[in-house]
Amino acid sequence: MTELIRHGLRLAAALLVLVGAASSAFACACCTNAGQRNVATVALDSGKRQEIESLRFSGKATLFTGEGDVEGIEGIATPSGSYEVTAKWLDDRLVLSFRDNTGHTGTLALARPNTVSVFEVDPRDRPDRGHGPALYKEWKLTAPAAGSGVFRPGIAPRQLLTLILQGAGNSCTSANDFSHWTLVMQGPKANYTLFGDLMTTQ
């Protein structure tokens, strides 16, 4: 009986070692390293689509003006420094609806592309907390621009709309890594940038 108990204890100890090794290997799959850098354009697969579609936009958006004036922004009928914003996926399009403080409204829509541009880099200014430094991250989605309302003047052929999701985390990216968004309109008729915050999904 004693030998049976000893055998059981040895087996339990071996299992604990195996579980610990498996947990360590799993954790290290998400570990980062000093100087790590990943810049690529990859397929927008189902996993990445799920993370993107689970994002929640906060209710405010700001129009970037730099040192200029709001009135100098071209491509928006009545440009405003700030907007209320909601975002919703309709079929394969992300539709962002904007409303300024005087009641002017408009939408900007981004068709879901087949690829996503990924940028992940160790900024080398963040502490290593045991599993490597936190990476600065961007995911970029670009598609032909579509819009309505106050944004209709800037919609034309060769206009592109790019949604940039910004955040930080380890080598395993999820929706909760992203904390900010930037929406860039580029083309021959309109060039402007809107930005705001994201809310965590948990």
Side-chain angles (χ1 to χ4, degrees):
M1 190 68 176
T2 303
E3 184 59 30
L4 184 61
I5 293 173
R6 288 176 180 170
H7 178 71
L9 289 173
R10 285 196 296 269
L11 182 60
L15 285 172
L16 286 173
V17 170
L18 287 173
V19 169
S23 298
S24 178
F26 178 79
C28 281
C30 299
C31 289
T32 59
N33 295 283
Q36 184 169 328
R37 184 179 182 87
N38 177 28
V39 181
T41 298
V42 300
L44 184 57
D45 58 26
S46 59
K48 290 183 176 61
R49 288 201 304 270
Q50 183 177 354
E51 297 300 335
I52 292 169
E53 290 175 6
S54 69
L55 291 169
R56 297 293 177 264
F57 288 66
S58 70
K60 300 294 181 183
T62 301
L63 179 65
F64 176 77
T65 59
E67 300 301 319
D69 297 322
V70 170
E71 292 76 14
I73 302 296
E74 297 182 356
I76 305 175
T78 54
S80 173
S82 61
Y83 297 89
E84 294 179 4
V85 61
T86 59
K88 186 177 182 180
W89 283 94
L90 298 175
D91 297 324
D92 286 338
R93 297 194 311 155
L94 176 63
V95 180
L96 293 105
S97 301
F98 297 85
R99 181 185 183 89
D100 68 20
N101 57 11
T102 60
H104 296 106
T105 62
T107 65
L108 290 169
L110 179 81
R112 187 165 57 201
N114 294 322
T115 60
V116 55
S117 296
V118 175
F119 178 82
E120 300 173 340
V121 63
D122 169 20
R124 286 177 282 182
D125 61 358
R126 298 173 183 176
D128 184 332
R129 302 192 183 278
H131 297 289
L135 305 178
Y136 170 75
K137 299 184 178 186
E138 289 186 356
W139 279 9
K140 295 197 300 183
L141 307 172
T142 301
S148 66
V150 295
F151 301 108
R152 186 67 189 86
I155 304 302
R158 294 183 289 139
Q159 287 291 143
L160 294 176
L161 198 60
T162 298
L163 174 65
I164 306 170
L165 307 173
Q166 300 164 274
N170 60 25
S171 292
C172 299
T173 300
S174 71
N176 286 316
D177 287 347
F178 297 111
S179 55
H180 300 83
W181 61 269
T182 300
L183 191 66
V184 181
M185 174 71 79
Q186 290 178 298
K189 196 168 184 180
N191 291 277
Y192 55 82
T193 298
L194 292 150
F195 60 94
D197 297 335
L198 293 166
M199 298 182 289
T200 60
T201 58
Q202 295 181 351

